Amino acid sequence: MSAQLSPVIDRTHYSVLVVDDNPANRYATVRSLRAGGFNIMEATAGAEALELVDYVSAVVLDVHLPDLLGFEVCRLLRARKGTATLPVVYVSAQYVTQSDQEHGMATGADAYMVAPVDPQALLATLDHLIAERGGPRH
């Protein structure tokens, strides 16, 4: 008998914003999340992400972006009433040290994953965070 590791949610009712300026990385993340059942929105920069976050249930956020660091995007999300509790998962291939991860968590993120990320681990993390927060359905 196996224990279930993450809550079961109907992913088709939830949208995830994937923020990454690297087309290949963004494509891989989007593809795995879409295959897992989530609705997806995409952004290539921090300012664009801040415009779209009101329409999603969670954010998968790269740290290295062309306009703002993901750390600053997360701080801004936490400062807004409407997005203060929005699940944010960092995924980074460049900011990978323990210090980077601690800094990322201190900015208010819910999880920090080093790329390449196991798609099943990312899906399980998002399932857990969305179920825990009762995220908006989209």
Side-chain angles (χ1 to χ4, degrees), residues 4 26 36 38-39 45 48 61 71 79 86 89 92 98 133:
Q4 195 162 8
R26 190 175 62 254
F38 282 111
N39 298 301
E48 183 184 7
L61 180 60
F71 298 142
L86 185 69
V89 177
S92 185
Q98 183 66 33
R133 302 275 168 82

Side-chain angles (χ1 to χ4, degrees), residues 103-120:
H103 180 70
M105 296 305 289
T107 65
D110 298 288
Y112 200 114
M113 303 176 97
V114 173
V117 172
D118 172 52
Q120 292 305 315

Side-chain angles (χ1 to χ4, degrees), residues 4-114:
Q4 195 162 8
L5 298 178
S6 63
V8 176
I9 64 168
D10 183 350
R11 294 177 184 149
T12 62
H13 293 291
Y14 298 96
S15 294
V16 175
L17 175 60
V18 177
V19 186
D20 196 326
D21 63 317
N22 180 301
N25 293 344
R26 190 175 62 254
Y27 174 80
T29 302
V30 165
R31 185 169 179 219
S32 64
L33 294 178
R34 193 170 278 142
F38 282 111
N39 298 301
I40 302 298
M41 294 182 76
E42 298 179 50
T44 59
E48 183 184 7
L50 292 169
E51 293 175 13
L52 298 173
V53 293
D54 294 326
Y55 308 102
V56 299
S57 307
V59 179
V60 175
L61 180 60
D62 182 26
V63 176
H64 185 74
L65 297 171
D67 55 352
L68 299 168
L69 280 180
F71 298 142
E72 184 61 21
V73 173
C74 190
R75 274 193 206 96
L76 292 168
L77 292 175
R78 293 301 178 236
R80 289 184 182 177
K81 183 179 181 185
T83 58
T85 62
L86 185 69
V88 176
V89 177
Y90 285 124
V91 173
S92 185
Q94 191 168 354
Y95 290 79
V96 299
T97 67
Q98 183 66 33
S99 176
D100 292 331
Q101 293 176 47
E102 289 169 2
H103 180 70
M105 296 305 289
T107 65
D110 298 288
Y112 200 114
M113 303 176 97
V114 173

Side-chain angles (χ1 to χ4, degrees), residues 9 16 33 38 58 60 89 121-131:
I9 64 168
V16 175
L33 294 178
F38 282 111
V60 175
V89 177
L122 181 56
L123 287 167
T125 299
L126 289 167
D127 286 348
H128 172 76
L129 292 170
I130 291 169

